[in-house]
Structures are given as C-alpha cells and as structure tokens.
Amino acid sequence: MDRAAVFDVDGTLVDTNHLHVTTWWEAFRQAGHRVPMHAIHRSVGLGSTDLIAHLLGDDRDEDQDARLSAAHTTLYAQYFDRLPALADAGRLLRRLHQDGWTVVLATSASGPELSALRRAIDADDAIAATASADDVEEGKPAPEPVEHALELAGVPAERAVFVGDTVWDMRAGRRAGVRCVGVLCGGIPRDDLEGAGAHAVYDDPAHLLSSLPAGPFGGTG
C-alpha cells in the first residue's frame, strides 16, 4: 500500500460536533463565560487550548484553561457509550482499505475519547494507525497532525488524500501539501471549506463512498 487516506474523526466520521458545542458551552458557562454556540461551532476541530484561546482571546486568564478543558472532557464523557457514527463511515474506511489505501486517523482526540470514537466507527480492521493529540506539539490548523499521519503511513504528501469537515482541517491539509476533501456533515458551509482549500466537497461518508472510485480517490493511484 503506497497511498494514504487520512481522516479527521469528529464531524467527519462520527456525528459529534454539536455534542462538543453543547459541552464546551456548558464548560464556559460554569466558569462564568458567555460564549455563543455559533462561535463554538466554528471553533470545533481545534485542540482544547487553541479553542479556548480562539474564543476567549489572548488576554484571558490562562490559569483557567486546564479547568475549562477538564470540565469539557467530563461533560463530553457522558456520551462516550453512545457516540453516533455517520452513515457508512466504517464501510468507507473498509472499502478504501480493500482498494489499497492505507487508512490513518488524524484527530485532536486522545485517550478514552479516541477509544470511544473508534468503537463508534467500528472499523479497526481497516485503520492502520492514528495520529492523536498526544503525538504532536501543534494541532490543526498547523500541518503537524497530517504530516505525522503521513509518516505513520509511510506515504509522501502527493500520494495522500485528507478528509475533514472544518476549515481547520482544510488548512492543515493544504499546509501539509495533501489533496483535501471536505464533508458537510460537520455543519460548515461548502464555500468555507472550498475557501480553506478543499478540492472536492461531499455531503457525508455515505456520499463519498457512493462516489468511489471517481473523484479524489481515483486520482492518486
């Protein structure tokens, strides 16, 4: 296998973005911050520290960051046993694996959260490796998560496709030099994804699966 299919997870393979919005909103509320849900939604996909900085600004009390992140993790963890995979997410990964692609996940999740996401996808037999938040110093939109995923796959950027649902994903993939594919199931508009670097945009994993082998996964083999 000398082609890599790199996937974001939240909002791309598992329908969790709005759970993150709600639990981040509650974490901020408990700490005395009023942050609009639409602003949180636009920030999902960033790592916890970057998300907090993006929403509260550089002049915030950074001593609160760890408590905010821990509160979000605790609130979100109540959903771990019932995270919903998006339609055909597991089938898509298995099909790409069968077609000769090395499937790697690139996600800001780690630990029990990542384990819960993988259980939801239920396609471990097709996933070769995972680049998690524990493996990189800078999260998306920095290219490091995607670059690390390529290292794990042993594949150069020109032999890879990165699929994600946020502008942060598209910017990270573009900076890493890979072909980027957006999906709309995370709730970010097509124009925003294309403006951030998406070469193609699909509704969700089921739409992408039904479009194989045409499109981006038909062009690097």
Side-chain angles (χ1 to χ4, degrees), residues 107-132:
T107 174
S108 58
S110 63
E113 179 183 349
L114 178 56
S115 296
L117 291 165
R118 291 186 66 144
R119 285 196 301 272
I121 299 166
D122 192 25
D124 276 355
D125 53 313
I127 299 169
T130 300
S132 76

Side-chain angles (χ1 to χ4, degrees), residues 62-100:
E62 294 185 23
D63 290 339
Q64 278 196 343
D65 286 6
R67 291 195 296 274
L68 282 166
S69 181
H72 163 258
T73 297
T74 299
L75 291 161
Y76 183 66
Q78 68 184 310
Y79 299 105
F80 279 2
D81 63 348
R82 55 192 188 279
L83 298 179
L86 286 153
D88 285 341
R91 287 185 61 205
L92 172 62
L93 301 191
R94 289 193 180 92
R95 169 65 184 276
L96 289 169
H97 173 71
Q98 291 167 4
D99 287 351

Side-chain angles (χ1 to χ4, degrees), residues 24 28 31 33 48-70:
W24 271 117
F28 285 125
H33 301 287
S48 293
T49 300
D50 290 335
L51 181 146
I52 293 166
H54 185 71
L55 291 169
L56 298 185
D58 293 334
D59 58 348
R60 72 192 186 283
D61 178 3
E62 294 185 23
D63 290 339
Q64 278 196 343
D65 286 6
R67 291 195 296 274
L68 282 166
S69 181

